[in-house]
Amino acid sequence: MEQVFQAPDCVWRQALLAATKGDLPHAPEGVISLGAVFRLALTVDEGRHASTKHAYPLRSNFLRSRVDAWIDRVSLARSAYETLRANANGENENAPKKRLQALGAELKHAQEDLTAFFDECEACLIVGTYLASEHASCADYLVFALAHGLARSKICGKDLLEKRPGLCRWLSTISASCGTVKSAFGVDEAYLSSTLGSLEGGKDWCVEAPKPPAKPKKEQQQGKKKDKKDKKGGQSNFASLAALSSVSAAQADDEPAADKKPAADKKPAGDKKPAGKEKPAAAAAGGAKAEEEEDPVKKAKKDRKKAEKEAKKAKMLAKKAKREAEEAAKKAKGASGGKSKKEKKAEEAAAKKRKQLEEEEATLRFLDSQPKGSKKKIDEVKIQSYSPRIVEHSWYAWWEKEGFFTANNKHTKGKTFTIVIPPPNVTGTLHLGHALTDSIEDTIVRWKRMSGYEALWVPGTDHAGIATQTVVEKKLMREKGLTRHDLGREKFLEEVHAFARDKKSTILNQIRRLGSSVDWTRERFTMDDDLQLAVKEAFCRMFEKGLIYRDARLVNWCCHLNTALSDIEVDYIDVPGRTMLSVPEHDDQVEFGCITSFAYPLEDGSGEIVVATTRIETMLGDTAVAVHPKDPRYTHLHGKFLKHPVNGRRIPIITDAILVDMEFGTGAVKITPAHDPNDFATGQRHNLEFINVFDDNGLLNGNGTGQFEGMKRFVARTKIVEFLQEKGLFRGKADNEMRLGLCSRSKDVIEPMLKPQWWVNCKEMGADAVNVVRNGELKIVPKDYEKTWFFWMENIRDWCISRQLWWGHRIPAFYVQVEGDEEGGIPGRNSEKKDRWVVGRTEEEAMANAKAKFPGKEIKLIQDEDVLDTWFSSGLFPFSSFKWPRETDDLKAFFPTQLLETGHDILFFWVARMVMMSRCLMGVLPFKEVFLHAMVRDAHGRKMSKSLGNVIDPLDVIRGITLEGLHKTLMGGNLDPKEVEKAKEGQKQDYPEGIEECGTDALRFALVAYTSQGRDVNLDVKRVVGYRHWCNKLFNALRYAMMNLGEAYVAPDEIRPQDLSLSCKWILSRLNQAIASTVKAMDEYQFTQATTAIYAFWQYDLCDVFIELVKPVMASGSDAEKKATRDTLWACLEVGLRLLHPFMPFLTEELWQRLPKNADYAKEFPSITIAPYPKCAEEFVDQSLVDRMAYSGVVVNKIRSLRATYGLVSNKQQPDVFLLCEPESKAKLDGLESYVATLSVSGSVRCVTDAKEIPEGCGVAPVDSGVVAYVVLTGLVDPEGEIKRLEKKLKECEAGRQKLEKRMSLPEYAKTPDKFKAEDNEKIANFKSEEANLAQAVDGFRAMLAKPKEQKQQQAEKGGKPEPKPSKEEAAPEPKAAESEEAPRPRAESSGFLKVGEKMVMKGDVKKKSTGFFSFTSQARTLVLTDAPRLLYMEGTETRGEFGRVLSCMMKSDSAFVIKSDQKERIIETPDAKAWTEAIAKHYKL
């Protein structure tokens, strides 16, 4: 979180503290008080500290224009809900019917408002993680608190959130940062806990309608069908509330059934009661008497109401019939070939899209026709909008052909930068995790290359022994029904090589599409001949040094894969107690998490010893039972023997104080040396027999297993228990918490097995790896991972490097068989002899070593069948890539490398191995720095998994893909059919419409922007789409610039600051500050900060500000001003593109090539790829000017906010602005008034120091303590309405001041620290200042009302002849005819809405309904169109609403049309729909 939001003087912070600590005026709990919070934050002294960059939220206009209205609607909805609920429960029986109907309408409108608000929040959060800035701010926590208020008030439910993943993700993110909220803002812990509880608890989010009173039986039967329908479809919370409204209205309107007796002539025939039916019980008790005694007046009233109801129902049915007739007519028209306007519009849009696609396809065909590797002909590629397919076409092939990525080992630059790619496995294709790695590494490499380094990025792929062999074996079985043993080793390896070549080709194509600037002339594969030679050399050297040795030790054995695994290839899960789990190769689930007790009888039959185990099947390999030497229970049994119940084996009772704990269990421990790590050590101490009872497949072998021989290990587990029960030796089971080891590849349960294997002694190498980090020789970034490094390396155990596979580097070790020696043993079995092994780089070298070891004997060599662990060859990659062990020029020039960039998940798998092996074999570190990036997760924070359907090919994001296409990517893999269906559901939920085409640049920028040190990346593809739109903005910015530069423009040789205007000086200052920030961030691997600096320059400085300031100069500036502005614009674009290039290589190359450049410069640097990276030019940095422009930006935002407050949304409405300034503030704004006017869409801006210079009738808003903005509103707003609004605001301000003064007057206030007293005094001063400004504004509007209308008319016409003064009967001037028709004259009572000189065009009664944010009741109103143009709603004599900037107006039907503005969308029902549509379109020039 940014430090600025932690500052105690941040207004958002003060508002949040006020909300959580109750420092606001008294208001009901929940929503209304939070409304006061927002008004406090948005209006009271908001800009006082806004000169700080982020103290003024970047999207605060969004909050301003939505939140106030939202809060008001929620407040009304809450009140309506409470009343309806009370009525439904019988607590408010006398509520009027109209009141209940009005409350029901309020609920409906609140639903529309909230839904629209959530939609806009969702749209905001699609392109941004937070509401107000790039980081979590107080604004987020205020809205978060408001969401809590909604939950507690039973207004908002999960149904409004479940389809909005961005909003849900934001709620989860803010919830998770509760510690940050508490520490940064001092939020009350109880309040925060309540907030989080409401968000997490399902009940608080779901509002169920209270049950209405029981209906008569007949009504219940009639309602069954409807109830079933409702249950089937489900109801949202608002639907439940609407049900309350209907129930309540029914209670208020209708009497019980027994009291109703409609006239026979009015009751429909279908509603007649069948003869013989009895009345309900209530009617039978007293219905007749009630009818006789009923008041005739009341009866007449009831009859009248019923008649009205019937008439209303008939009208509704008539409407329905009319609608159905219209629909039928439309269908008939469609069947006869006619098309509706909507269909025509859709067809036009589709045709436009087709035309655009056809143009793109034509351009692509042209580009495809060009020779591969040729430079793109920019002049012949005409595109009107950004298209990733066209922009990214051809550039990479040209870069590769020109050798821009090829490093020179005879370089003369004096400095190199080398990095090797983490070689991806050839098991499949790259996913977004690989894309993150490549994006970060390419960004670094391109930056270094442009910064003058001889940059080399070595590409490569890894053979991935276990993973690839497993995939190919499954493929063979699926396609051919064969195993690898059916094919034989040679044929199987041919299949694997073919599979690897195919996948490798796909992977290399993906790397190219990602724009990775790797040196393809040095591409490597870990099974290449050069790398196989390096592996053999490394094994032999380490064997000769005594670091590699052969030994029979316990290994982690995977029975499914038939291979040993290293410790870090084993995943552990916690089993809390008895749990049934699925195990490969077993049909039934297996029980884990329990301990089984059984008895071993003494050999002489004198007793027994009870032992316990979690793996009862291993008892077949027991060779001893251990007790503690000091345990008095077993002293008399020391040295005696037990008898094994299965095979009769004599089992000695031994004493061992190391292994046995007397207090645990029975104090006796069974010993299975060949199947347990602890027992293995005990067996070595006591020289016990090591008996292996399992074969490689996990079946029980014949070593004393008796009748259980051939059984699967976990089948035998059950059978052995049954056997012990039969023998009377079973003593029970109990829950036992345990950790269960699983193979990370197959998920099979790991079996500790005694196997002869090759091992690496890691003790000394591990200690050395610790030292190089502690003394700073090796730097790990982020530094937090040093702790992980130390933990692993200080506790490192010897590394088992044998793998019982066929695919991989075969171990260069040979077993010597001596002729005539029958006891030589079998290699790979426990019978082998360790001294019979020799190693050699070739078989000839091994034979020579064998003859030297066994002189004078006839010998034969058998090469080890096993292969080396994949990480052994990968550990050599930084130097084997340069053809070590040969002394090549590449090895001398580029090793050691400078950086290793990879994911933190393989810190020990790969990074540690490279450090140890490089120090051992090369004597130096393989790299100087290690940067560990975060893991990529999906938008929900889940790990990428094929079974979840969230593993995405980066090319699918780049090119776009349909949902059906995503489903197809799941086919042909190794997923189980059930997992395929699960994955499809995940894809359907996350990508219901597939993935939009984003392009490489947007994907890269999004991935790098997400990269924050020490934090996982929750990647939402919608964010990538947002950056794709940003690419389009950059494309359009350059198009605009090229239009202003002109075809004859010549790039300048130099730009001198003294020749520039203030705006040009400012943008060049911001450019150089962005350069400095980016370079600093790149040096520190702070990629988020780098992308933020670049994005801010392009988006907020260049596009949003400078290009807007360029327009007036190009329109009316002098030639010198235009030349300086063009040169500055060119410099910003050219340098800005070079600044952005490492992050977005394709788009920047395309745009850079289109920019005019000096001929010598273009010849020296034909591509932006090799152009110099920008350096900060300090002479262009003017911090004072930057601060002044930032301050002017605060003023601009305040003026824009004030415009929005008064509904001035059209750019044609450009009122004059006066800024009442203190001298210091005036100095800041001196010379910037015209910029403020341009950016705030004002006619003019004047800074004054005397309030007398400000005209009457202004809207006022304080910017800070030094500036107050006055917007001249004469002729633009209704003075009477403004007086009411300002007076209300003035009262609120006075109330706030009085409350604070009251608190300060208390005796205990004297104990308040001086710091807080000073803050309170400052608040009092601000209150008074605002009160004075508000009072002045009120006086101005009153004076505006008091002036004669003739004078105002003269001022408006600037001296022209005034029109006659309106009489009392006329409230508006006599309107003149519009064109040839005479416009209708306004009614006398509705004269207040016209401006002076304004004419009415159309007027008529309409009905409307809301489809947008603001909402009104759907009743008859008057719609008025004037020639200003203005479009207003009137109700009687009052103006009820006005459209701002009308965006579109179209026919919906013959009797309705739709109007859209920037904040509203209305459906207007009127018989004159066509005339209204034409008039509005004409006057708004639509």
Side-chain angles (χ1 to χ4, degrees), residues 871-914:
W871 296 108
F872 188 91
S873 57
S874 299
L876 307 174
F877 197 70
F879 47 95
S880 64
S881 301
F882 301 120
K883 301 185 178 181
W884 178 85
R886 288 176 286 172
E887 290 292 329
T888 63
D889 290 337
D890 278 359
L891 187 66
K892 295 175 183 176
F894 299 116
F895 185 81
T897 65
Q898 280 63 51
L899 173 70
L900 178 78
E901 193 282 332
T902 188
H904 65 75
D905 56 320
I906 55 174
L907 176 62
F908 190 76
F909 274 94
W910 188 40
V911 180
R913 305 287 170 71
M914 286 188 286

Side-chain angles (χ1 to χ4, degrees), residues 1278 1349 1366-1373 1375 1384-1395 1398 1400 1402-1405 1421-1424 1426 1430 1432-1440:
D1278 174 24
K1349 292 187 177 180
S1367 64
K1368 292 182 180 180
E1369 290 76 15
E1370 294 179 327
R1385 192 184 294 267
R1387 291 175 296 186
E1389 68 270 20
S1390 62
S1391 60
F1393 70 90
L1394 285 178
K1395 301 178 187 176
E1398 192 174 13
M1400 189 185 303
M1402 288 192 70
K1403 183 175 182 179
D1405 291 336
R1421 296 199 174 201
T1422 302
L1423 186 67
V1424 179
T1426 74
R1430 295 171 72 204
L1432 309 98
Y1433 284 116
M1434 299 195 69
E1435 187 173 309
T1437 61
E1438 297 182 3
T1439 300
R1440 289 299 188 185

Side-chain angles (χ1 to χ4, degrees), residues 1110-1119 1121-1122:
V1110 165
K1111 294 175 182 178
V1113 177
M1114 293 295 105
S1116 58
S1118 65
D1119 291 342
E1121 289 173 335
K1122 291 180 180 179

Side-chain angles (χ1 to χ4, degrees), residues 795-825:
N795 295 280
I796 194 170
R797 295 195 288 180
D798 286 359
W799 172 21
C800 176
I801 56 174
S802 299
R803 295 292 181 270
Q804 287 64 48
L805 304 171
W806 288 356
W807 172 245
H809 296 278
R810 194 167 178 181
I811 297 174
F814 300 81
Y815 194 78
V816 180
Q817 286 187 333
V818 179
E819 188 176 351
D821 184 1
E822 297 179 357
E823 298 182 358

Side-chain angles (χ1 to χ4, degrees), residues 1209-1279:
V1209 294
S1210 172
N1211 287 346
K1212 294 180 180 179
Q1213 296 171 307
Q1214 298 187 3
D1216 293 336
V1217 175
F1218 290 84
L1219 300 176
L1220 181 60
C1221 303
E1222 295 293 333
E1224 182 180 352
S1225 299
K1226 188 174 185 301
K1228 291 181 182 178
L1229 297 172
D1230 187 30
L1232 305 180
E1233 293 91 343
S1234 62
Y1235 302 156
V1236 174
T1238 299
L1239 298 173
S1240 63
V1241 197
S1242 302
S1244 66
V1245 173
R1246 283 184 56 197
C1247 292
V1248 298
T1249 56
D1250 188 353
K1252 295 178 181 179
E1253 299 182 47
I1254 300 172
E1256 297 167 344
C1258 292
V1260 58
V1263 177
D1264 59 11
S1265 58
V1267 177
V1268 179
Y1270 292 82
V1271 176
V1272 180
L1273 300 174
T1274 302
L1276 298 177
V1277 298
D1278 174 24

Side-chain angles (χ1 to χ4, degrees), residues 337-350:
K339 295 179 181 178
S340 66
K341 287 188 176 181
K342 186 176 181 180
E343 290 172 333
K344 289 180 180 179
K345 186 175 180 180
E347 285 190 359
E348 289 174 1

